[in-house]
Amino acid sequence: MSGILEHLNEPQREAVTTIEGPVMVIAGAGSGKTRALTHRIAYMIEQGINPFSIMALTFTNKAAKEMKERIMQLVEPGAARNVWMGTFHSIFARILRIEAASLGYTSEFTIYDTDDSKTLINTILKEREIDTKAYPAKYILHRISMAKSALYTPEDYCDNAEIQEQDRRANKPLIGEIFKTYNARLKRANAMDFDDILFNTNVLLRDFPDILYKYQCHFQYILVDEYQDTNYAQYLIIKRIAAMHENICVVGDDAQSIYGFRGANIQNILNFKIDYPEQKLIRLEQNYRSTKTIVKAANSVIANNKDQIKKTVWSDKEEGELITLLRATSDNEEGTLVANSIFGYKMSRQLEYKDFAILYRTNAQSRSFEQALRKQDIPYKIYGGFSFYDREEVKNVLSYFRVVINPTDEQALKRIINYPARGIGDTTWRKLQVIADQRKCTIWALLTSLNEQSSEFNMGTINRLRDFVTLIQSFQTLINKMNAFELAKHITDSVGIIKLLKEEDTIESQNRIQNIEELLNAISEFSDKQVDEVTGEQINIDLPKFMEDVALITDQDQKDDENADYVTLMTIHNAKGLEYPYIYIAGLEENLFPGIQSLSTREDLEEERRLFYVALTRAQTKLILSYAESRYRWGNITLSEPSRFIEEIDPNLIERTRKASFRGTTIKEDRGYNPFSGRGAWTFSGDKRYESSQRSQSASRTQEAPKTSYPKASASDFVFADADEIQVGMRVLHQKFGQGTVVKVEGVGPNKKASVDFDEGGNKMLMLKFAKLSILKQ
DNA sequence: GATTGTGCCCTTTTT
DNA sequence: GGGCACAATC
C-alpha cells in the first residue's frame, strides 16, 4: 500500500478510504481535517478514479489552492490539477457560464460585488423616491441576500406572510418591491450578484433535467469542506448533484459555525442524517494542533453553548504554557503591549515574526496594532478589510473591462461613462435611465441606437455619447485579437487614465498609478500562468477569461511569500482554517467581543462564542488574550469592561502576571455584576462634558472628572441607559442634541427607536442601538 | 456640469 | 475619525 495511508490515525484512515457512499466527518478543531481531505482525494486518484469526476468544494479559493498543492505532493501533480476544486461560487460560476443561455444570460455575464449591488439598490431607491434613511441599502441587501440564500424569488418574498410581517414591523414594507426591481435590473444588465450564483445554479439544476443529468454523471464524487457554513442554497445544489451516485463526503464542525449572519445553517449537518440514512459518521476528535491547555480552554468556553453536537476534543501534546491575559488602559496601549510581547517572545525564544498572529473581532481594530508595530519596526501584514480590488482606481479600470466584455453591465457603465470627464453628467445619465426604462431596453442598446434625429438629447450630448460608444466598440473588436494583458494595457492607455492621474501629480495620484500598474501586472501574470492541462502549452488568455472570476478573488487568496517574515493581522473570520504558534486575541471586551449586536438573542451570542472558540483553537503553542479599558469608537472615548468570554475559560488555565492581573483581584470580584443588567459601555460626549455617574469611580481612572455646562441638570444627574430602559415621558440626555423628552418608542431589540423632542434642536428619531442616551434621575 | 463644502451616520463578521 | 450623500457655488 502506498504512503498515502501512513501517518493517519484510525478515524482519519476511515475517512480517507470510505470513498463510496455518504460520509459525514465531524472534525474537531485541529483534528487533521485538511489532512484527511487531501489524503482522501489523493487516495481516490490512486485508486484510479478520474480526477475530473471529483468535485471538492472549499470555503475560500486559498484553501482550494493549498489543498491542491498538498495533493500534488501525494500523487502525480497533473492528475491533482484536474480535480474540480474551488469555492461554491467559483465552481458554479464556471458552470453557469457554460450553461448561461438556458437561463437567459450570456456567458459573459458580470458578477456584481457587494458594492455594485449597494449602488444599484440606492439607484432604485432614488428613482422611487424612497428615503434612503428609512431604507438603508445595506439592510435591504441583507434581507435580499437571506431570501436568495433560502431560495426565495422576489415573488415568493412578497407572498410570504411571515416575511411581509417582519418587514412591516421593521417599518420597511417596500423591500419586496425593491427586491423585484433589483432582480429585474440585474437581469437586464446580464449580471448576477453573489447569491444569484447559487440561486441560479439551483434553478438550472431544477428546471433542466438534461443539464442536471449531465453534471450528475460528471461529478461522481463530491466533497464539501466547512459544511457547517453552507446555506440552504448550497445544501440543495449538493443534494441535487449527488443524488445519482450518493458518493458524498461532507466535513465540518458545528462548534466552528460562524457564518450564520450570512445564512449558513447548521441544520444542514443534521439534515445529512435524514437525507442519507445509510451515512457513515466519522468523528475526528484528537487535536494535533494545540497544547492541552489550549484545548481545555477552548472546551471550557464552548461548553457554555446549548446548541452543540457532543464531542470530546482532546490533545496528547504537552500541557503547555498557561494563557496570558493582558490588560491595557486604552486601545493604543493594547497595541503597544501586544507589540512588546511579540518582540519579547521573538527575542527570548528565537522565534520568527511569522509565528505570530493578532486576531480581532472587527477590521477597525487593526489601527492601534499597525501603529504600535510600525513604531517598533516589526513587519506585519493585514489580511482582509479593504481589498486591492476595492480601490477606486482599480474599480474604474476594471469597469472599462467589464463594459467592453458585457456592455449591458450598467453599474460599470455608470462608473466610466464620465470618467475621465467627457461631459456626460448626472442629468444625461438619469435621462438615459428613464428612456431605457420606458423602452424596456438596456442603456447600451439605447446608446448604440442614438443618431442625429434623437430628439431626447441636444446635439452636443449626442455627439459625446456617440464618441463614447465608438471608443468602447473599438475595444470590443480587439477582444479576440489581443491577449488579456495587451488589451488591458491598450484600454488604459487610450482612455488616458494614467495620463489624467499623472497630471494630478499628488502623492495620492501616484499611488493610484502604481495600483493600476499592479493590476496590469496581475493580468500579465495570470496570462503567463495559464497552461494547457493536457499539452502543457501556454494558452493565450483573453481579457474575458481574466475577468471571469475577478469578482470572486479576495485578498485572502493572494499568495503568501513563504520566505517573508511578518506578523499576521486579521479578523477571526479570516483566520478560520489557519494556525499559528502564538495567537493574540485582542479586544476582549463587552460590546465589542461579544459585539453589542449579538447580545439580544441566545443564538447570536452562541455564534459569537463559537467565533471565540475558533480564535482560541488557532493557537498551537501559546495564547495571549488582551483587552482595553477604554477605546476610541466613533471618534469618542468609550469605556469598556472585560469580555464575559474571559470568565468562561477555566481560570486555572490563565496566568495573571504583569499588567494582566485585574488589579490584584480575581476577575469575578472585579466585575461583580449581573451579566444581563444594564451592561454597556460608557460613552463620553464628543466634547467630554459629561460622564455616566454609574461606576464613575472606575470611569475617572482614565478621564478627568468633567464639568457640566448644562443649565438644568448636572451630568451626574444622568445615568447611562440601556435601550430597554427608555420609556415615553423620560427626560434624557443625548451627547449631541442635549436634553429632551421621549415622546414615542417603537421597534424591538436592536431596531428599537425613540422619538425625542429635544429642548434645542427639535424632534429626532434615534436608533437606540447607536444613540447613547442617559436618563435623568428623578 | 464640476468642484468644494457640510452634516450625518456609522462599525460586525464575507463569498 | 472617516466616508458618503446632498447642498451650495462657480
Side-chain angles (χ1 to χ4, degrees):
Chain A
M1 199 67 254
S2 71
I4 290 176
L5 298 181
E6 281 168 29
H7 310 299
L8 293 174
N9 66 24
E10 200 35 50
Q12 282 175 340
R13 187 167 308 169
E14 199 180 359
V16 167
T17 55
T18 314
I19 54 181
E20 304 287 329
V23 178
M24 178 156 77
V25 181
I26 297 293
S31 60
K33 178 194 68 168
T34 311
R35 188 178 174 82
L37 267 173
T38 51
H39 283 247
R40 181 183 166 93
I41 294 170
Y43 179 77
M44 287 178 9
I45 293 173
E46 206 192 49
Q47 295 291 304
I49 290 170
N50 178 0
F52 282 108
S53 70
I54 303 171
M55 174 164 67
L57 297 162
T58 58
F59 197 70
T60 62
N61 293 308
K62 189 184 179 190
K65 212 157 71 188
E66 281 175 5
M67 274 171 67
K68 249 185 192 179
E69 279 162 12
R70 284 172 68 169
I71 297 169
M72 284 186 205
Q73 290 166 4
L74 296 168
V75 294
E76 199 257 311
R81 213 178 278 130
N82 293 336
V83 175
W84 280 66
M85 192 177 282
T87 61
F88 270 90
H89 287 84
S90 66
I91 295 275
F92 292 108
R94 204 165 140 192
I95 289 175
L96 282 172
R97 286 193 196 281
I98 299 170
E99 313 293 344
S102 300
L103 295 173
Y105 293 83
T106 78
S107 54
E108 290 80 25
F109 68 81
T110 305
I111 298 170
Y112 275 9
D113 63 19
T114 311
D115 215 59
D116 296 317
S117 300
K118 227 154 102 189
T119 318
L120 177 53
I121 295 277
N122 276 323
T123 310
I124 295 167
L125 293 175
K126 209 179 277 173
E127 279 171 21
R128 302 192 156 214
E129 293 179 338
I130 297 172
D131 182 14
T132 49
K133 302 247 158 59
Y135 284 83
K138 217 178 138 180
Y139 179 84
I140 299 170
L141 215 50
H142 178 247
R143 292 287 291 175
I144 293 178
S145 176
M146 294 303 259
K148 286 185 177 179
S149 309
L151 299 179
Y152 286 103
T153 63
E155 289 71 31
D156 296 337
Y157 189 98
C158 293
D159 293 344
N160 184 302
E162 196 188 336
I163 293 176
Q164 287 307 307
E165 173 63 17
Q166 284 167 357
D167 280 351
R168 205 186 50 76
R169 236 181 294 148
N171 246 331
K172 296 173 177 57
L174 296 173
I175 291 182
E177 287 304 313
I178 299 168
F179 187 6
K180 275 185 188 164
T181 314
Y182 170 76
N183 254 21
R185 286 296 169 82
L186 279 165
K187 191 73 199 294
R188 184 171 92 182
N190 192 24
M192 298 188 196
D193 65 16
F194 287 134
D195 302 306
D196 282 338
I197 294 173
L198 305 177
F199 187 98
N200 287 332
T201 302
N202 270 293
V203 174
L204 188 76
L205 301 177
R206 184 194 65 197
D207 295 349
F208 299 89
D210 49 328
I211 293 177
L212 172 64
Y213 182 74
K214 180 167 122 190
Y215 289 102
Q216 283 179 336
C217 294
H218 188 147
F219 296 118
Q220 296 172 27
Y221 296 89
I222 299 172
L223 294 91
V224 187
D225 193 11
E226 308 283 8
Y227 192 64
Q228 76 282 357
D229 285 322
T230 53
N231 61 30
Y232 182 66
Q234 291 167 321
Y235 157 81
L236 211 55
I237 291 173
I238 292 308
K239 195 179 164 190
R240 288 194 156 117
I241 298 182
M244 183 184 284
H245 299 284
E246 295 206 341
N247 294 326
I248 173 168
C249 171
V250 301
V251 183
D253 178 9
D254 60 294
Q256 294 185 63
S257 163
I258 54 174
Y259 281 93
F261 70 91
R262 74 173 199 214
N265 193 348
I266 316 188
Q267 204 58 36
N268 289 349
I269 288 190
L270 306 171
N271 278 347
F272 197 82
K273 234 179 272 175
I274 300 164
D275 291 336
Y276 309 100
E278 72 287 24
Q279 65 145 355
K280 191 163 201 177
L281 178 67
I282 299 169
R283 287 169 196 274
L284 304 183
E285 296 183 317
Q286 182 175 0
N287 177 309
Y288 293 96
R289 176 184 296 154
S290 317
T291 64
K292 284 199 174 76
T293 301
I294 293 167
V295 170
K296 280 188 215 159
N299 284 344
S300 63
V301 167
I302 205 68
N304 290 284
N305 271 9
K306 216 172 108 190
D307 289 335
Q308 53 175 321
I309 298 172
K310 281 277 166 256
K311 62 178 157 314
T312 325
V313 179
W314 56 280
S315 166
D316 76 354
K317 295 179 80 165
E318 70 277 7
E319 272 316 310
E321 279 177 75
L322 290 177
I323 297 166
T324 301
L325 184 59
L326 301 174
R327 184 189 93 217
T329 50
S330 68
D331 47 354
N332 287 330
E333 196 194 52
E334 185 184 34
T336 312
L337 286 180
V338 167
N340 286 343
S341 165
I342 290 176
F343 188 76
Y345 282 128
K346 178 181 188 273
M347 287 310 165
S348 60
R349 302 184 178 187
Q350 322 268 305
L351 300 164
E352 292 181 285
Y353 285 125
K354 66 180 173 199
D355 294 328
F356 301 89
I358 305 171
L359 310 183
Y360 34 75
R361 176 70 239 263
T362 64
N363 279 305
Q365 287 166 256
S366 67
R367 200 207 82 246
S368 56
F369 299 105
E370 289 181 70
Q371 265 172 13
L373 293 170
R374 217 175 303 142
K375 210 183 255 171
Q376 302 200 25
D377 278 326
I378 298 175
Y380 65 89
K381 187 164 171 181
I382 299 181
Y383 287 84
F386 269 106
S387 153
F388 175 73
Y389 290 93
D390 285 339
R391 288 164 204 266
E392 191 68 25
E393 61 277 13
V394 176
K395 284 201 149 164
N396 286 337
V397 173
L398 288 176
S399 291
Y400 267 96
F401 303 164
R402 278 165 60 174
V403 171
V404 170
I405 294 162
N406 172 25
T408 55
D409 179 344
E410 273 178 35
Q411 292 309 310
L413 188 61
K414 187 180 172 199
R415 218 169 232 288
I416 57 157
I417 199 166
N418 201 30
Y419 178 83
R422 45 173 77 88
I424 306 173
D426 229 33
T427 316
T428 308
W429 177 256
R430 264 181 226 168
K431 240 183 187 168
L432 286 167
Q433 288 260 13
V434 172
I435 300 170
D437 240 21
Q438 280 166 3
R439 299 194 194 163
K440 299 211 186 320
C441 69
T442 65
I443 293 191
W444 179 251
L446 179 63
L447 285 175
T448 49
S449 66
L450 280 181
N451 57 40
E452 287 78 358
Q453 280 85 51
S454 307
S455 54
E456 294 92 345
F457 300 98
N458 65 38
M459 214 42 224
T461 308
I462 289 180
N463 282 332
R464 288 193 288 265
L465 290 173
R466 292 185 67 188
D467 285 350
F468 175 74
V469 169
T470 312
L471 180 74
I472 297 298
Q473 284 171 337
S474 77
F475 298 146
Q476 287 174 336
T477 61
L478 298 172
I479 289 178
N480 299 317
K481 295 185 184 133
M482 291 180 164
N483 72 23
F485 174 71
E486 288 162 351
L487 182 54
K489 183 90 170 65
H490 173 74
I491 293 174
T492 36
D493 284 350
S494 32
V495 166
I497 295 176
I498 303 270
K499 193 168 146 252
L500 190 79
L501 290 169
K502 270 192 179 140
E503 280 162 10
E504 207 177 297
D505 196 32
T506 57
I507 296 170
E508 180 66 18
S509 75
Q510 282 168 13
N511 259 327
R512 288 173 189 272
I513 292 174
Q514 278 180 7
N515 286 330
I516 293 175
E517 280 168 357
E518 203 174 317
L519 173 65
L520 292 172
N521 284 339
I523 297 175
S524 167
E525 199 184 318
F526 176 83
S527 314
D528 290 347
K529 263 205 311 225
Q530 302 295 311
V531 175
D532 188 300
E533 280 157 5
V534 182
T535 64
E537 271 175 304
Q538 197 161 318
I539 305 169
N540 204 15
I541 293 297
D542 60 14
L543 196 57
K545 184 89 193 139
F546 174 78
M547 292 299 288
E548 264 181 19
D549 37 31
V550 148
L552 302 174
I553 298 174
T554 65
D555 260 11
Q556 280 65 57
D557 301 327
Q558 66 194 218
K559 52 169 195 265
D560 295 316
D561 195 340
E562 289 286 311
N563 307 315
D565 188 31
Y566 50 76
V567 176
T568 301
L569 278 71
M570 62 179 127
T571 63
I572 300 164
H573 282 89
N574 272 324
K576 189 162 102 154
L578 304 178
E579 57 184 12
Y580 294 86
Y582 288 69
I583 288 282
Y584 291 78
I585 306 174
L588 278 166
E589 296 140 39
E590 283 296 314
N591 294 342
L592 180 60
F593 193 19
I596 194 159
Q597 73 294 331
S598 69
L599 301 179
S600 39
T601 70
R602 178 177 63 86
E603 286 76 12
D604 286 349
L605 183 63
E606 293 202 349
E607 175 152 318
E608 204 81 351
R609 188 176 285 118
R610 291 192 295 270
L611 191 58
F612 186 49
Y613 177 82
V614 168
L616 291 169
T617 53
R618 296 311 94 198
Q620 298 167 318
T621 314
K622 170 90 188 170
L623 267 170
I624 301 98
L625 313 180
S626 72
Y627 68 94
E629 291 165 325
S630 74
R631 79 173 53 238
Y632 272 93
R633 282 178 115 178
W634 311 290
N636 290 329
I637 290 176
T638 316
L639 292 192
S640 36
E641 297 197 24
S643 167
R644 68 186 75 188
F645 291 156
I646 299 174
E647 272 183 58
E648 293 177 358
I649 299 175
D650 178 349
N652 299 321
L653 302 172
I654 303 180
E655 64 160 357
R656 292 188 184 75
T657 55
R658 301 186 298 180
K659 296 195 86 165
S661 70
F662 282 79
R663 273 167 285 148
T665 65
T666 68
I667 303 176
K668 280 261 182 319
E669 283 162 7
D670 187 59
R671 292 180 71 202
Y673 65 91
N674 176 340
F676 289 100
S677 73
R679 68 170 59 248
W682 296 274
T683 302
F684 291 97
S685 64
D687 49 15
K688 299 187 175 65
R689 274 189 298 197
Y690 81 95
E691 71 172 288
S692 159
S693 65
Q694 190 182 11
R695 311 247 306 201
S696 62
Q697 192 190 352
S698 66
S700 56
R701 266 185 288 125
T702 51
Q703 206 73 32
E704 290 295 309
K707 290 188 189 71
T708 177
S709 57
Y710 287 98
K712 292 183 203 147
S714 86
S716 58
D717 295 331
F718 287 93
V719 51
F720 175 79
D722 224 37
D724 297 338
E725 300 164 36
I726 302 289
Q727 281 164 19
V728 173
M730 280 179 167
R731 289 286 292 165
V732 293
L733 179 65
H734 185 273
Q735 52 173 312
K736 197 155 186 184
F737 304 130
Q739 292 182 37
T741 309
V742 179
V743 293
K744 200 173 149 199
V745 176
E746 60 185 59
V748 280
N751 294 321
K752 196 167 173 183
K753 282 177 284 206
S755 170
V756 182
D757 274 340
F758 286 103
D759 302 351
E760 295 153 41
N763 181 281
K764 306 264 181 207
M765 182 68 89
L766 303 165
M767 285 289 280
L768 292 177
K769 175 163 66 158
F770 299 116
K772 300 281 192 294
L773 290 179
S774 303
I775 303 172
L776 178 62
K777 286 188 284 188
Q778 281 172 335

